[in-house]
Amino acid sequence: MLLATACGMIVASLYYVQPLIGPISAALGLSPQSAGLIVTMTQVGYGVSLILVVPLADIVENRRLIVMALIASTFALFVAGISQHAPIFMLAMFFIGLSAVAAQIVMPYASHLVAPAARGHALGKVVSGLMLGIMLSRPAASFLTHLGSWRTVFYLAAIGMAVLAGVLILLLPARRPEPGLTYGALLRSMLRLFIQTPLLRRRAFYHACLFGAFSLFWTTVPLLLAGPEFGLSQAGIAWFALAGVAGAIAAPIAGKFADKGLSRLLTGFAILLVALSFLMTYGKGDFSTRLAMFVVAAIVLDFGVSMNFVVGQRAIFALAPEYRGRLNGIYIAIFFMGGATGSAVGAWTFTKSGWLFTSWIGFALPVLALLYYFTEHRVLIRPQVSDSTSRKQ
């Protein structure tokens, strides 16, 4: 419960900004075409940190690494709240993404605490916390903005990160990895892991497509809902975003079935759900019918993405315990680049062409994953790292 709560609070800092693009852009003087960069900057920072920081979980005491990232997050969130100019705000968003990577240090840390036979189920519970953080962050941000301002969101988030850092340093047990690689050798080994691990590349590609669709949806739909077709307030958008919370139940269910050897079936089902979610938004009808279809689409989308995430993470964590930090860093970095691309492309195409064209791009991403899925076979290849230092480790 502690690790699930921590993951949810940490990763939420990446998503507070999504429903607030409109008011933040207006306050900082950003053009509609540039608005998507607000979300993209957090995801780029997150991706960089996944490559440079998460692998440290294989050589640095994990609790200390997590707490240091939370302290950095506290300062970055506070700077975002006080920013008066777009460049400073964008830089703060980059560092918010950079420090939010603590959630992906918690994930392999959690996997070391359970037996292999229960790993999928346990990871599913922690991923549920992470997904709840993602899904609750958007309505929380909208409600707080409705009651105060968008700056209130960042101030309260900074306080939350500071409190969480104090709780974790007191309650988490230390985990010291076996000494072995230097930092330089650690980073060099990641390229070999990527090249020599087909399963990692495949799972990362699947989720890059799905997370790109997820980010495109949640970056552009608040803009659509606030526009003339729906005319929702920030409070209305917050109620809409709550629909996605239902998708969090997919993670522990998927983890439990993955433990029974059904990962491949679950992957195909998850990809189909994400594709179906975009098709659901094409129906016509009155205001209530259209809004209801978007609510159902949001639930189905989040359900599919949650399911695929936990199945993929379980698969890569089963490859080699001593590489979990690096495997996780590569996996998350690749699919977050997909997410950053989805946010940027979605905001640009929505401004230029509206929801119909944007949603077709969202639909194309899981279709691309599905085409690759049809080439899958059941052979899982354990990573082989040939340098003597890694062999010693």
Side-chain angles (χ1 to χ4, degrees):
M1 183 61 72
L2 176 62
L3 294 177
T5 302
C7 270
M9 290 180 64
I10 295 165
V11 81
S13 63
L14 292 170
Y15 296 93
Y16 292 130
V17 74
Q18 281 189 346
L20 308 181
I21 289 176
I24 292 173
S25 298
L28 300 180
L30 285 167
S31 67
Q33 292 84 355
S34 302
L37 292 176
I38 294 174
V39 177
T40 299
M41 286 300 291
T42 60
Q43 293 176 334
V44 170
Y46 200 68
V48 169
S49 195
L50 285 164
I51 297 297
L52 299 180
V53 178
V54 169
L56 288 171
D58 289 340
I59 60 173
V60 174
E61 197 279 301
N62 288 186
R63 179 180 59 185
R64 182 175 63 183
L65 197 58
I66 293 166
V67 171
M68 288 173 63
L70 292 181
I71 292 171
S73 181
T74 300
F75 284 103
L77 287 162
F78 180 74
V79 170
I82 64 173
S83 295
Q84 299 295 328
H85 304 286
I88 299 298
F89 183 81
M90 290 292 194
L91 188 63
M93 296 309 296
F94 176 82
F95 279 99
I96 287 170
L98 204 70
S99 54
V101 81
Q104 298 307 328
I105 301 170
V106 171
M107 297 299 295
Y109 172 89
S111 72
H112 285 284
L113 304 180
V114 294
R119 185 174 293 124
H121 195 203
L123 281 173
K125 292 180 179 179
V126 179
V127 170
S128 287
L130 182 142
M131 295 305 296
L132 282 171
I134 294 174
M135 296 163 190
L136 289 173
S137 62
R138 294 184 292 254
S142 293
F143 279 127
L144 289 171
T145 300
H146 180 71
L147 296 174
S149 76
W150 62 266
R151 298 183 188 277
T152 306
V153 177
F154 290 98
Y155 295 146
L156 292 178
I159 294 170
M161 286 298 101
V163 171
L164 181 62
V167 170
L168 294 187
I169 202 168
L170 290 174
L171 298 183
L172 283 187
R175 179 191 169 259
R176 293 177 177 83
E178 292 294 327
L181 298 177
T182 64
Y183 183 60
L186 187 78
L187 295 182
R188 288 192 297 272
S189 72
M190 292 179 71
L191 179 60
R192 286 191 293 275
L193 284 172
F194 176 76
I195 293 171
Q196 298 170 4
T197 315
L199 175 66
L200 173 62
R201 297 196 302 271
R202 179 173 289 275
R203 298 302 323 189
F205 181 82
Y206 290 158
H207 211 64
C209 292
L210 269 57
F211 197 67
F214 176 90
S215 297
L216 178 145
F217 183 94
W218 285 108
T219 298
T220 57
V221 164
L223 299 174
L224 175 68
L225 296 178
E229 181 179 355
F230 292 98
L232 297 186
S233 65
Q234 283 295 323
I237 294 171
W239 284 111
F240 172 85
L242 277 173
V245 173
I249 66 172
I253 295 172
K256 190 171 183 178
F257 281 101
D259 285 336
K260 297 180 178 180
L262 299 175
S263 293
R264 190 170 187 273
L265 179 63
L266 290 170
T267 299
F269 184 54
I271 295 171
L272 288 172
L273 286 178
V274 175
L276 178 63
S277 69
F278 283 91
L279 296 178
M280 288 178 174
T281 67
Y282 299 148
K284 294 184 178 181
D286 57 18
F287 172 86
S288 298
T289 302
R290 286 275 290 153
L291 186 59
M293 290 307 297
F294 271 88
V295 169
V296 174
I299 295 171
V300 172
L301 172 72
D302 288 1
F303 198 94
V305 173
S306 299
M307 179 181 295
N308 190 68
F309 177 59
V310 72
V311 171
Q313 202 159 46
R314 182 194 181 280
I316 64 169
F317 283 172
L319 290 173
E322 65 271 25
Y323 303 128
R324 278 181 189 151
R326 280 163 282 174
L327 291 169
N328 196 46
I330 297 167
Y331 175 60
I332 308 291
I334 292 172
F335 82 63
F336 252 85
M337 291 302 101
T341 302
S343 294
V345 171
W348 188 83
T349 56
F350 181 81
T351 302
K352 295 292 185 181
S353 306
W355 171 251
L356 183 61
F357 182 65
T358 302
S359 62
W360 275 115
I361 295 175
F363 174 74
L365 289 169
V367 169
L368 187 62
L370 190 63
L371 292 174
Y372 189 43
Y373 170 79
F374 289 142
T375 70
E376 183 174 333
H377 54 80
R378 297 173 182 270
V379 178
L380 305 183
I381 301 176
R382 179 184 173 89
Q384 302 294 326
V385 181
S386 59
D387 66 286
S388 58
T389 309
S390 295
R391 194 181 302 117
K392 177 182 176 184
Q393 185 192 22

